[in-house]
Amino acid sequence: MTPLVSVYIPTRNRSALLRRAIDSVLAQTYPEIEVLICDEASTDDTAEVVADYARRYPGKFTYLRNETPQGACRARNRCIEQAIGTYVTGLDDDDLFHPQRIASLVDLYRRHSPSFACSRFKYFQAPAQIERLRDRCYSEAELARVDKLTLPALLYANLAGNQVLTELSRMRELGGFDESMPSWQDYDMWIRLADRYGTAVCTRQLLSFVDDDRSRARIRNSSRRAEGSERFIAKHARLMNADQQRNHRNIQYVMNRQRPSLGEIARNISVGGYKSTLKVLLHKFFGVAIG
């Protein structure tokens, strides 16, 4: 039998965007999907929107609601607690899946037995920027081309993005997302999966699209991102070598808009994380903060 895939979607006061996200899940070529939506105390018509989908697709939707906002991390975990699929993956309410995403990741998981499977992703600010990419139909050979994501590689950077597919039992065994983390909960989860279950795989095709509309508040634009980075380093220091720790110090400099001395930059040059070193130099001399 085709295994069921559970898709969790946390949401708050974004009913129009939520429709877009849900429609991208319903457009999947993979047939066996359940959708779990956790509403973070929305005051718009989110409940009515989900109820309409549930009426049109009986048995496919589960609606959960937090009467007070508890954060996207808790919302994801509530969905994971209620899910019944063999596999689980997530989607933020303002992001989109390519129609072949779930089928491709399930196939990769079966072929490679990784800790998790993921895809390349693309940021966009207007839907027109990704229409051609969303409409493209990939061949089996194209989707089978993968990169291996080892734990050492992941400890330099979150190469998986904000969503992966893995076994539901693994998410539960690891206790779900760490709700004490103010940000970087997804990156923390991927590290824990790779540490426990080994190398991950990533298809080289663009199968996920991340809305980068700067007019809406997002964690990556706030001080919580820097705090999450600090907790991430403390939590996973035992796994990091000296070069990886230097890399993350450079990431923190840029996030905190700090301009370290040239001596400090020299001491924190990271060979494996050379991109972060370049970003610090750009910020130091030109005031450009990338990432």
Side-chain angles (χ1 to χ4, degrees):
M1 294 180 63
T2 304
L4 181 69
V5 174
S6 301
V7 179
Y8 57 81
I9 306 177
T11 190
R12 176 170 166 77
N13 288 334
R14 290 178 174 176
S15 62
L17 292 171
L18 178 62
R19 284 183 183 274
R20 187 179 71 178
I22 291 173
D23 287 344
S24 79
V25 177
L26 295 174
Q28 293 297 297
T29 59
Y30 191 85
E32 294 298 322
I33 296 173
E34 67 163 349
V35 183
L36 300 101
I37 297 169
C38 188
D39 181 357
E40 279 280 276
S42 292
T43 56
D44 63 2
D45 62 341
T46 292
E48 290 77 12
V49 166
V50 178
D52 178 60
Y53 278 105
R55 281 192 297 269
R56 289 188 284 134
Y57 300 91
K60 201 175 190 72
F61 283 83
T62 297
Y63 175 70
L64 307 169
R65 177 178 171 85
N66 293 331
E67 294 303 325
T68 58
Q70 298 178 35
C73 195
R74 178 58 193 146
R76 295 184 190 106
N77 283 342
R78 282 203 67 193
C79 292
I80 290 168
E81 290 162 5
Q82 296 294 319
I84 59 172
T86 299
Y87 301 109
V88 64
T89 189
L91 179 63
D92 287 345
D93 61 3
D94 54 348
D95 297 340
L96 301 165
F97 284 165
H98 182 281
Q100 293 173 278
R101 181 181 185 273
I102 291 179
S104 170
L105 297 191
V106 169
D107 183 63
L108 291 181
Y109 203 95
R110 288 169 157 175
R111 288 172 183 260
H112 298 277
S113 300
S115 55
F116 62 81
C118 61
S119 73
R120 290 179 59 213
F121 57 93
K122 182 177 180 62
Y123 289 110
F124 71 97
Q125 295 183 346
Q129 295 173 333
I130 58 168
E131 283 180 2
R132 181 180 59 83
L133 294 170
R134 286 188 65 198
D135 293 340
R136 178 175 176 180
C137 183
Y138 294 102
S139 68
E140 288 186 15
E142 288 175 312
L143 293 172
R145 294 169 58 198
V146 300
D147 293 313
K148 298 291 182 70
L149 305 184
T150 64
L151 178 60
L154 286 166
L155 285 167
Y156 276 106
N158 182 3
L159 303 174
N162 64 352
Q163 309 294 350
V164 308
L165 180 139
T166 190
E167 292 175 50
L168 177 62
S169 60
R170 291 183 172 182
M171 281 277 205
R172 288 178 172 167
E173 182 179 340
L174 293 173
F177 292 92
D178 185 346
E179 296 176 29
S180 71
M181 297 276 290
S183 65
W184 285 34
Q185 302 101 332
D186 48 0
Y187 189 15
D188 167 68
M189 184 79 249
W190 314 156
I191 291 297
R192 288 189 284 138
L193 281 166
D195 183 37
R196 179 72 64 87
Y197 301 107
T199 298
V201 293
C202 179
T203 178
R204 295 178 183 175
Q205 310 308 327
L206 286 165
L207 301 181
S208 183
F209 306 100
V210 180
D211 193 327
D212 195 35
D213 185 343
R214 301 301 174 91
S215 66
R216 296 195 300 273
R218 296 188 73 114
I219 284 177
R220 64 175 172 271
N221 295 327
S222 75
S223 61
R224 287 187 296 163
R225 187 171 179 236
E227 184 183 351
S229 170
E230 292 175 2
R231 294 197 188 185
F232 177 90
I233 294 170
K235 185 173 182 178
H236 299 296
R238 66 177 180 83
L239 300 174
M240 292 183 184
N241 61 33
D243 194 62
Q244 290 160 342
Q245 293 188 33
R246 289 193 293 270
N247 171 68
H248 278 278
R249 278 196 289 274
N250 288 331
I251 291 172
Q252 285 189 313
Y253 284 143
V254 177
M255 284 193 301
N256 293 328
R257 302 298 190 264
Q258 293 176 298
R259 293 185 174 183
S261 67
L262 288 177
E264 191 67 19
I265 292 174
R267 283 191 292 274
N268 284 311
I269 290 175
S270 172
V271 177
Y274 68 92
K275 290 182 180 179
S276 68
T277 304
L278 292 175
K279 288 177 181 180
V280 171
L281 289 169
L282 283 171
H283 185 55
K284 168 75 173 177
F285 293 106
F286 302 103
V288 178
I290 301 174

